[in-house]
Short mmCIF file of all heavy atoms in Angstrom, two decimals:
data_model
loop_
_atom_site.label_atom_id
_atom_site.label_comp_id
_atom_site.label_asym_id
_atom_site.label_seq_id
_atom_site.Cartn_x
_atom_site.Cartn_y
_atom_site.Cartn_z
N LYS P 715 123.96 66.32 133.26
CA LYS P 715 124.71 66.54 132.07
C LYS P 715 124.89 67.99 131.73
O LYS P 715 124.02 68.82 132.06
CB LYS P 715 123.97 65.82 130.90
CG LYS P 715 124.10 64.25 130.94
CD LYS P 715 123.29 63.68 129.82
CE LYS P 715 121.80 63.82 130.03
NZ LYS P 715 120.95 63.18 129.00
N PRO P 716 125.99 68.35 131.06
CA PRO P 716 126.25 69.74 130.74
C PRO P 716 125.05 70.31 129.94
O PRO P 716 124.65 71.49 130.13
CB PRO P 716 127.41 69.71 129.83
CG PRO P 716 128.17 68.48 130.31
CD PRO P 716 127.13 67.52 130.73
N ALA P 717 124.52 69.54 129.05
CA ALA P 717 123.39 70.01 128.17
C ALA P 717 122.16 70.47 129.09
O ALA P 717 121.52 71.46 128.81
CB ALA P 717 122.91 69.03 127.22
N ASP P 718 122.00 69.67 130.19
CA ASP P 718 120.91 70.03 131.11
C ASP P 718 121.22 71.26 131.79
O ASP P 718 120.28 72.12 132.08
CB ASP P 718 120.67 68.89 132.09
CG ASP P 718 120.05 67.67 131.40
OD1 ASP P 718 119.40 67.81 130.39
OD2 ASP P 718 120.28 66.56 131.81
N LYS P 719 122.47 71.48 132.21
CA LYS P 719 122.86 72.71 132.88
C LYS P 719 122.69 73.90 132.04
O LYS P 719 122.23 75.03 132.39
CB LYS P 719 124.28 72.61 133.36
CG LYS P 719 124.50 71.61 134.47
CD LYS P 719 125.96 71.64 134.90
CE LYS P 719 126.24 70.58 135.98
NZ LYS P 719 127.75 70.51 136.28
N MET P 720 123.00 73.66 130.72
CA MET P 720 122.81 74.74 129.74
C MET P 720 121.36 75.08 129.61
O MET P 720 121.00 76.28 129.47
CB MET P 720 123.45 74.33 128.41
CG MET P 720 124.97 74.32 128.36
SD MET P 720 125.57 73.92 126.72
CE MET P 720 127.08 73.11 127.18
N LYS P 721 120.57 74.13 129.53
CA LYS P 721 119.13 74.31 129.35
C LYS P 721 118.60 75.10 130.58
O LYS P 721 117.77 75.98 130.44
CB LYS P 721 118.32 73.06 129.19
CG LYS P 721 118.51 72.48 127.77
CD LYS P 721 117.47 71.39 127.50
CE LYS P 721 118.16 70.06 127.25
NZ LYS P 721 117.23 68.93 127.07
N ALA P 722 119.07 74.73 131.72
CA ALA P 722 118.68 75.47 132.95
C ALA P 722 119.16 76.91 132.94
O ALA P 722 118.43 77.82 133.27
CB ALA P 722 119.28 74.72 134.22
N MET P 723 120.38 77.13 132.36
CA MET P 723 120.92 78.46 132.25
C MET P 723 120.00 79.28 131.28
O MET P 723 119.66 80.45 131.50
CB MET P 723 122.25 78.48 131.80
CG MET P 723 122.95 79.77 131.93
SD MET P 723 124.76 79.70 131.41
CE MET P 723 125.45 79.01 132.91
N ALA P 724 119.69 78.65 130.16
CA ALA P 724 118.94 79.31 129.12
C ALA P 724 117.48 79.60 129.70
O ALA P 724 116.89 80.65 129.35
CB ALA P 724 118.78 78.42 127.88
N LYS P 725 117.04 78.72 130.53
CA LYS P 725 115.72 78.94 131.09
C LYS P 725 115.72 80.17 131.97
O LYS P 725 114.83 81.02 132.03
CB LYS P 725 115.21 77.70 131.97
CG LYS P 725 113.91 78.01 132.69
CD LYS P 725 113.35 76.70 133.27
CE LYS P 725 112.27 77.02 134.25
NZ LYS P 725 111.43 78.23 133.99
N ARG P 726 116.83 80.31 132.84
CA ARG P 726 116.95 81.47 133.64
C ARG P 726 117.04 82.78 132.78
O ARG P 726 116.53 83.79 133.11
CB ARG P 726 118.28 81.41 134.52
CG ARG P 726 118.17 80.22 135.57
CD ARG P 726 119.16 80.43 136.65
NE ARG P 726 120.57 80.24 136.18
CZ ARG P 726 121.15 79.06 136.12
NH1 ARG P 726 120.56 77.93 136.41
NH2 ARG P 726 122.42 79.07 135.70
N TYR P 727 117.71 82.61 131.58
CA TYR P 727 117.72 83.75 130.68
C TYR P 727 116.36 84.14 130.22
O TYR P 727 115.91 85.32 130.28
CB TYR P 727 118.61 83.42 129.52
CG TYR P 727 118.87 84.53 128.47
CD1 TYR P 727 119.78 85.52 128.68
CD2 TYR P 727 118.05 84.64 127.36
CE1 TYR P 727 119.94 86.58 127.83
CE2 TYR P 727 118.18 85.62 126.46
CZ TYR P 727 119.13 86.60 126.62
OH TYR P 727 119.31 87.61 125.74
N ARG P 728 115.68 83.08 129.82
CA ARG P 728 114.23 83.34 129.31
C ARG P 728 113.39 83.85 130.39
O ARG P 728 112.56 84.84 130.14
CB ARG P 728 113.68 82.05 128.71
CG ARG P 728 114.13 81.69 127.29
CD ARG P 728 113.34 80.53 126.73
NE ARG P 728 113.65 79.27 127.40
CZ ARG P 728 112.91 78.63 128.23
NH1 ARG P 728 111.76 79.16 128.59
NH2 ARG P 728 113.36 77.49 128.78
N ASP P 729 113.52 83.38 131.58
CA ASP P 729 112.70 83.85 132.74
C ASP P 729 113.09 85.36 132.97
O ASP P 729 112.15 86.19 133.21
CB ASP P 729 113.04 83.08 133.95
CG ASP P 729 112.34 81.66 133.83
OD1 ASP P 729 111.49 81.50 132.96
OD2 ASP P 729 112.68 80.77 134.68
N PHE P 730 114.33 85.65 132.90
CA PHE P 730 114.72 87.05 133.12
C PHE P 730 114.06 87.95 132.02
O PHE P 730 113.50 89.01 132.40
CB PHE P 730 116.23 87.21 133.08
CG PHE P 730 116.68 88.60 133.24
CD1 PHE P 730 116.96 89.18 134.51
CD2 PHE P 730 116.80 89.43 132.08
CE1 PHE P 730 117.33 90.44 134.65
CE2 PHE P 730 117.19 90.77 132.24
CZ PHE P 730 117.49 91.25 133.51
N ALA P 731 114.19 87.53 130.80
CA ALA P 731 113.59 88.27 129.66
C ALA P 731 112.13 88.41 129.85
O ALA P 731 111.55 89.44 129.48
CB ALA P 731 113.93 87.60 128.35
N GLY P 732 111.50 87.43 130.48
CA GLY P 732 110.05 87.57 130.69
C GLY P 732 109.70 88.50 131.78
O GLY P 732 108.84 89.31 131.69
N GLU P 733 110.47 88.39 132.92
CA GLU P 733 110.06 89.22 134.09
C GLU P 733 110.56 90.64 133.90
O GLU P 733 109.90 91.55 134.38
CB GLU P 733 110.86 88.59 135.34
CG GLU P 733 110.24 87.33 135.85
CD GLU P 733 111.14 86.61 136.91
OE1 GLU P 733 111.93 87.34 137.57
OE2 GLU P 733 111.09 85.36 136.98
N HIS P 734 111.63 90.82 133.22
CA HIS P 734 112.12 92.21 132.97
C HIS P 734 111.93 92.48 131.47
O HIS P 734 112.88 93.08 130.87
CB HIS P 734 113.55 92.36 133.41
CG HIS P 734 113.74 92.13 134.90
ND1 HIS P 734 113.95 90.91 135.44
CD2 HIS P 734 113.79 93.00 135.89
CE1 HIS P 734 114.12 91.00 136.74
NE2 HIS P 734 114.00 92.30 137.05
N LYS P 735 110.90 92.19 130.89
CA LYS P 735 110.73 92.28 129.42
C LYS P 735 111.12 93.66 128.89
O LYS P 735 111.87 93.79 127.92
CB LYS P 735 109.28 92.00 129.09
CG LYS P 735 109.07 91.92 127.54
CD LYS P 735 107.70 91.38 127.25
CE LYS P 735 107.39 91.44 125.70
NZ LYS P 735 106.06 90.89 125.39
N ASN P 736 110.53 94.69 129.53
CA ASN P 736 110.82 96.05 129.02
C ASN P 736 112.28 96.44 129.08
O ASN P 736 112.84 97.04 128.27
CB ASN P 736 109.93 97.03 129.79
CG ASN P 736 108.57 96.98 129.27
OD1 ASN P 736 108.22 96.53 128.22
ND2 ASN P 736 107.60 97.44 130.15
N HIS P 737 112.91 96.04 130.21
CA HIS P 737 114.37 96.32 130.40
C HIS P 737 115.15 95.51 129.42
O HIS P 737 116.11 96.04 128.81
CB HIS P 737 114.81 95.95 131.87
CG HIS P 737 114.22 96.85 132.89
ND1 HIS P 737 113.48 96.29 133.92
CD2 HIS P 737 114.22 98.13 133.05
CE1 HIS P 737 113.07 97.33 134.73
NE2 HIS P 737 113.46 98.45 134.16
N TRP P 738 114.76 94.29 129.18
CA TRP P 738 115.51 93.42 128.33
C TRP P 738 115.44 93.85 126.88
O TRP P 738 116.38 93.92 126.16
CB TRP P 738 115.05 91.98 128.49
CG TRP P 738 115.73 90.97 127.61
CD1 TRP P 738 117.08 90.55 127.78
CD2 TRP P 738 115.32 90.38 126.42
NE1 TRP P 738 117.37 89.70 126.82
CE2 TRP P 738 116.33 89.52 125.95
CE3 TRP P 738 114.02 90.33 125.77
CZ2 TRP P 738 116.18 88.73 124.79
CZ3 TRP P 738 113.91 89.62 124.62
CH2 TRP P 738 114.98 88.84 124.16
N ILE P 739 114.21 94.22 126.45
CA ILE P 739 114.04 94.66 125.05
C ILE P 739 114.84 95.97 124.85
O ILE P 739 115.44 96.22 123.78
CB ILE P 739 112.54 94.85 124.74
CG1 ILE P 739 111.88 93.49 124.59
CG2 ILE P 739 112.38 95.68 123.43
CD1 ILE P 739 110.44 93.55 124.23
N MET P 740 114.83 96.76 125.84
CA MET P 740 115.59 98.07 125.81
C MET P 740 117.06 97.84 125.40
O MET P 740 117.63 98.67 124.74
CB MET P 740 115.44 98.82 127.06
CG MET P 740 116.24 100.16 127.13
SD MET P 740 116.00 100.93 128.78
CE MET P 740 117.23 102.28 128.59
N LEU P 741 117.59 96.71 125.86
CA LEU P 741 119.06 96.45 125.60
C LEU P 741 119.24 96.52 124.08
O LEU P 741 120.36 96.83 123.64
CB LEU P 741 119.44 95.02 126.12
CG LEU P 741 119.62 94.90 127.58
CD1 LEU P 741 119.97 93.43 127.90
CD2 LEU P 741 120.80 95.84 128.05
N PHE P 742 118.25 96.07 123.27
CA PHE P 742 118.53 95.95 121.88
C PHE P 742 117.89 97.03 121.07
O PHE P 742 118.30 97.29 119.94
CB PHE P 742 117.92 94.55 121.41
CG PHE P 742 118.50 93.44 122.25
CD1 PHE P 742 117.70 92.89 123.25
CD2 PHE P 742 119.79 93.03 122.11
CE1 PHE P 742 118.22 91.87 124.03
CE2 PHE P 742 120.33 92.01 122.90
CZ PHE P 742 119.49 91.40 123.87
#
Side-chain angles (χ1 to χ4, degrees):
Chain P
K715 286 179 290 184
D718 290 332
K719 292 182 183 175
M720 289 182 207
K721 283 194 242 178
M723 189 179 284
K725 174 169 168 33
R726 293 197 294 275
Y727 182 85
R728 280 187 290 107
D729 286 347
F730 177 91
E733 286 168 27
H734 298 84
K735 185 170 174 179
N736 287 337
H737 294 123
W738 181 72
I739 287 183
M740 177 181 171
L741 282 178
F742 310 102

